[in-house]
Amino acid sequence: MSLKESDLQKLYQILGYQFQQPTHLKTALTHRSAGNPNNERLEFLGDALLSLIIGEFLFQRFPKAKEGQLTRLRASLVKGETLAEIALELELGQYLRLGMGELRSGGWRRNSTLADAVEAIIGAIYIDSDLFHCRKVVLAWFETRLSSLSISTIEKDPKTRLQEHLQARQQPLPDYQVLKMEGPPHNQHFEVKCQVVGLKATIGSGESRRRAEQAAAEKALKLLKKHTKFHKKG
């Protein structure tokens, strides 16, 4: 779609930032399916900036936190699912510039596309201004999530928790196998099987192998919990 001046002004208000050069924002909203220039390079830059901004905030907010705790907190904030949620809150889907194929397949509501757009806009804000203004905007987007953070409530990811659970009991580590991989490189879908000795295999799916493995591990953890309760009752 072609962004009108009225669209840009509305989006500036939503983002909380007025672009000096609107072409930066237009590029950030352009998916590669729509041609060049697109947002892939800005996405790369925005990813690095986001990690820095959130990492710096956490470092200052939790002076007694250990590296592992800070890493897990940051990962929970910069992961694709969180960025897609922010994109929906900012109503970015309606402003994305997509090729016809992506439009027909509903690319404007795909989590990976939305998350990429958020990172690209962060990169665009940085090159349009500076780190100070970029940090201010990003922290405003994350304000609600950052205010509710707690070191005590953050959990390790499912794969790590499953591995540590099995290691603590001197049991074999889980075996992950990719059952299915479909779609083009920019829109892949994975199905992964997680096999834990003594349990029924679990299957997880996601937009990357890692996400599919995490989903399968989460299901395995739930089975382990039920299995443990059953034996305690017995």
Side-chain angles (χ1 to χ4, degrees):
M1 62 172 286
S2 178
L3 288 174
K4 301 176 182 178
E5 181 60 28
S6 58
D7 294 327
L8 287 173
Q9 292 302 323
K10 181 180 178 181
L11 190 49
Y12 292 160
Q13 291 182 347
I14 293 172
L15 296 175
Y17 178 78
Q18 177 91 24
F19 275 83
Q20 304 303 308
Q21 298 185 47
T23 53
H24 290 152
L25 177 58
K26 292 178 180 179
T27 300
L29 294 169
T30 304
H31 188 263
R32 66 178 178 180
S33 63
N36 290 309
N38 58 57
N39 64 10
E40 288 186 323
R41 283 173 53 83
L42 286 174
E43 175 197 340
F44 166 80
L45 179 60
D47 175 65
L49 288 163
L50 178 62
S51 184
L52 168 65
I53 292 167
I54 296 299
E56 179 188 45
F57 175 89
L58 296 174
F59 182 83
Q60 295 175 348
R61 169 80 178 274
F62 301 106
K64 296 183 180 180
K66 297 178 180 179
E67 178 191 3
Q69 293 173 313
L70 293 173
T71 298
R72 288 194 293 275
L73 279 172
R74 182 177 61 186
S76 71
L77 291 164
V78 304
K79 64 182 180 180
E81 291 89 340
T82 303
L83 297 183
E85 290 173 2
I86 288 175
L88 290 173
E89 292 166 7
L90 297 174
E91 302 177 351
L92 292 183
Q94 62 182 304
Y95 299 101
L96 295 179
R97 304 164 82 186
L98 306 168
M100 288 307 299
E102 280 295 307
L103 280 173
R104 292 194 191 99
S105 64
W108 53 273
R109 60 173 178 264
R110 187 173 296 119
N111 279 359
S112 58
T113 302
L114 291 169
D116 291 347
V118 170
E119 290 180 334
I121 291 174
I122 292 172
I125 292 173
Y126 173 76
I127 63 173
D128 192 70
S129 56
D130 51 35
L131 183 57
F132 173 81
H133 289 89
C134 186
R135 181 190 292 111
K136 183 178 179 181
V137 172
V138 170
L139 293 181
W141 294 352
F142 281 82
E143 183 178 7
T144 302
R145 291 168 176 83
L146 293 174
S147 64
S148 62
L149 283 180
S150 169
I151 289 293
S152 61
T153 58
I154 189 67
E155 281 192 336
K156 298 178 181 178
D157 65 86
K159 278 189 68 176
T160 301
R161 285 188 281 132
L162 178 59
Q163 179 175 316
E164 291 182 351
H165 175 92
L166 296 173
Q167 286 178 326
R169 290 157 181 78
Q170 297 183 331
Q171 296 176 356
L173 295 180
D175 178 55
Y176 296 94
Q177 294 181 13
V178 177
L179 300 178
K180 190 183 298 183
M181 182 177 68
E182 299 176 324
H186 65 283
N187 184 28
Q188 289 187 324
H189 180 81
F190 290 79
E191 279 193 7
V192 171
K193 179 175 75 172
C194 174
Q195 182 66 65
V196 175
V197 174
L199 288 181
K200 178 182 177 182
T202 57
I203 297 176
S205 61
E207 296 175 346
S208 69
R209 177 172 178 170
R210 178 180 175 278
R211 291 180 184 176
E213 288 177 346
Q214 298 286 15
E218 185 68 58
K219 292 180 180 179
L221 283 166
K222 290 179 180 178
L223 279 182
L224 276 172
K225 189 174 181 180
K226 291 181 180 179
H227 188 72
T228 301
K229 285 183 178 179
F230 175 78
H231 283 283
K232 282 183 177 179
K233 289 180 181 178

